[in-house]
Structure formats: structure tokens, C-alpha cells
Amino acid sequence: MSCAAMQEQNPIVEARSVLASARRILVLTGAGISAESGVPTFRGEGGYWRNKSYQELASPVTFKRDPRLVWDWYLMRRQTVNDCRPNAAHVALAKWTEIARWTRDVQLVTQNVDGLHESAGHPDVIRLHGSLWRNQCTRCGKEREEKSLNYGQLPVSPCCGALERPAIVWFGEAMPTKPMAMAYLTCLACDAVLVVGTSGIVMPAAEFVINAKKRGAIIIDVNPDDDAVPAHIKLRGQAATLVPAILA
Ligand code: NAD
């Protein structure tokens, strides 16, 4: 079926049929999939905290100047996410992936740092931007899981006794090599991409979709708002309603 014909059909039915016949599927999620769990997207909340933009807060320069400020922002975000639960979209994706993987390659790549895919029981998550729930030693780079919601004294690493930072990829920093390579290989090989809750302008994730499309993959996009995702099938609505409907 041509892409133009697809647009004229019921997009949920079309999305289902594309995913049913695809052998290799990339699922790419962004902040929007967690919005209905209560985790704000940056764009949604205006992108400011204590009069600082999120670009300024998520920055190695700001951390060097004022680690307490940056840690307080991340602790506030940990507290927010700690009160949130995976929604129907996270749960449906986790269950569907578990079953689909018996016969097909399905790989989830997320830009999210909240850990809600993992809480939903997702079998395998590639995290492009790190995790809210991990600390990293500023001296040797070693990471550890850390769930504290408050720090009287800023955390120091057990390995080097050096200040720890959130294990998150900040603006201007290199992307982590292994997740990037795995995500890139998936986007080169896939024949369908399901994009959920991302604006399509955050690099490099946006590029994965463009590359997959150039190589012939069908792109399905779930978002209540207009976005920059170059999709063949656009489903305009909330993730927690549409994702379970597509994967039913
Ligand atoms: P983004 O560029 O991925 O934009 C979020 C998108 O979600 C928007 O296009 C919005 O229209 C859409 N959306 C909103 N509600 C939705 C819903 N109910 N269902 C489906 N889509 C919905 O992300 P951002 O907020 O600009 O954040 C940029 C980066 O910051 C992310 O890539 C991530 O690394 C980080 N971040 C992570 C989280 C998280 O882990 N939950 C939250 C905020 C920001």
C-alpha cells in the first residue's frame, strides 16, 4: 500500500498492520510518553526552574560553577518521578515487546531519564540520555545506582571520594558510545519505527528517524500536538490511549 493511501485509512488500523508485518522495529520514546504519569515535559512547563532555563541547568559549565543548584534541580526531578507510576503506554509497550521478541527484533530507544519503562517491566531499554537514578564520579566516570531524594552534603563517589554528578548527558556533552551504536544499528536495520511523545527536534534521536525513513522504514508517530517527526502515519492523541490501542 502506498504511503498516501495509508493516511486515508484509520491510522490505528494502519499502524497495527505496519507493526504486524514488520520484522525489525525501532520504538523511540521521548518525554511525552511520561506526561500522563505526571512527569512534566520540558517544553510543557516552559523549561524554567528558579528562573534558569533547562539548557542552563543541564550543563557541565553550570555544574562546575554551582553544583548545589544543579543537584537541587535533579533532586526535585527525582522527587517528582518518585511519586509517578508507569502509565498504560509504558505497560503496553513492555508487554507487547516481551511477546513480539519471540519472533521479531524489537528495540526500545528512549530519550527519557525517568526509569518508567524499566518500572513497567520493559525487557530491554537503550537510554540515550542517561538516568535520573544514577550518579557518576566526576574523577573516573564510574557510575552507580542512587535513589536518594535529598542530600545534606553533596554526594561523593565510593571509588575516588570525588564529587558525584547526575549520570545524565548534558548539553554540549558527547553522547554515550554504546547506546548510540546500538540505537544507530537498530535504525539502519529496521523496517518500522514507532515514535511516541517526542518533538522530533532533539538530536540525535530525531536523526535516527530520518535515517530509518531514508532506508525505507515506515514511520508511525504518536503525539497530541504537531511535531517535526517525518511520519507516514500520524496519530494525534495521548500516548496512554493510543499506544495500547495500536499494540492491542
Ligand atoms: P521532547 O522534545 O521529546 O518533547 C515532548 C513531546 O511530547 C512534545 O512534542 C509534546 O507534544 C509531546 N507530548 C506531550 N504530552 C504527550 C502525551 N500525553 N502523549 C504523547 N506525547 C505527548 O522532550 P522535551 O520535553 O523537550 O525534553 C527534551 C529532553 O529532556 C528529552 O529528550 C529528555 O532527555 C529530557 N527530559 C526527560 C524527561 C523524562 O525522562 N520523562 C522529561 C523531560 C525532559
Side-chain angles (χ1 to χ4, degrees), residues 188-199:
L188 292 184
C190 66
D191 39 32
V193 185
L194 173 61
V195 186
V196 185
T198 179
S199 56

Side-chain angles (χ1 to χ4, degrees), residues 30-36 39-43 54 77 111-114 129 196-202 222-227 237-240:
I33 195 170
S34 298
E36 289 160 272
V39 186
T41 65
F42 285 164
R43 274 154 241 277
Y54 67 79
R77 292 181 64 197
Q111 300 170 92
N112 293 347
V113 296
D114 55 33
H129 294 169
V196 185
T198 179
S199 56
I201 56 177
V202 179
V222 175
N223 197 319
D225 305 314
D226 282 336
D227 59 31
Q238 311 270 13

Side-chain angles (χ1 to χ4, degrees), residues 44-200:
E45 64 181 9
Y48 281 85
W49 184 72
R50 291 190 192 163
N51 292 326
K52 300 267 189 290
S53 71
Y54 67 79
Q55 285 98 332
E56 196 177 345
L57 291 160
S59 144
V61 177
T62 309
F63 185 75
K64 198 164 183 194
R65 195 177 57 229
D66 191 349
R68 180 87 244 180
L69 171 75
V70 174
W71 261 122
D72 281 351
W73 184 55
Y74 278 101
L75 290 170
M76 178 278 292
R77 292 181 64 197
R78 275 189 188 171
Q79 287 158 16
T80 302
V81 172
N82 195 49
D83 292 335
C84 297
R85 297 292 164 263
N87 64 49
H90 298 103
V91 173
L93 264 178
K95 287 187 176 156
W96 174 79
T97 304
E98 192 94 56
I99 294 165
R101 277 187 153 197
W102 283 92
T103 50
R104 274 117 28 93
D105 288 340
V106 180
Q107 184 62 62
L108 172 65
V109 175
T110 189
Q111 300 170 92
N112 293 347
V113 296
D114 55 33
L116 290 178
H117 284 300
E118 292 87 341
S119 301
H122 205 286
D124 184 12
V125 183
I126 295 179
R127 290 192 297 258
L128 288 179
H129 294 169
S131 169
L132 262 186
W133 304 105
R134 295 181 73 77
N135 288 7
Q136 185 179 38
C137 174
T138 53
R139 187 164 301 154
C140 74
K142 193 168 175 186
E143 287 186 16
R144 67 186 179 103
E145 192 177 67
E146 234 292 300
K147 304 234 162 172
S148 298
L149 301 179
N150 287 294
Y151 289 129
Q153 302 282 320
L154 291 183
V156 290
S157 61
C159 45
C160 303
L163 178 66
E164 286 184 311
R165 55 168 278 176
I168 303 265
V169 182
W170 285 334
F171 287 97
E173 294 187 317
M175 297 294 292
T177 318
K178 195 173 165 200
M180 276 297 286
M182 287 164 71
Y184 189 61
L185 288 175
T186 306
C187 95
L188 292 184
C190 66
D191 39 32
V193 185
L194 173 61
V195 186
V196 185
T198 179
S199 56

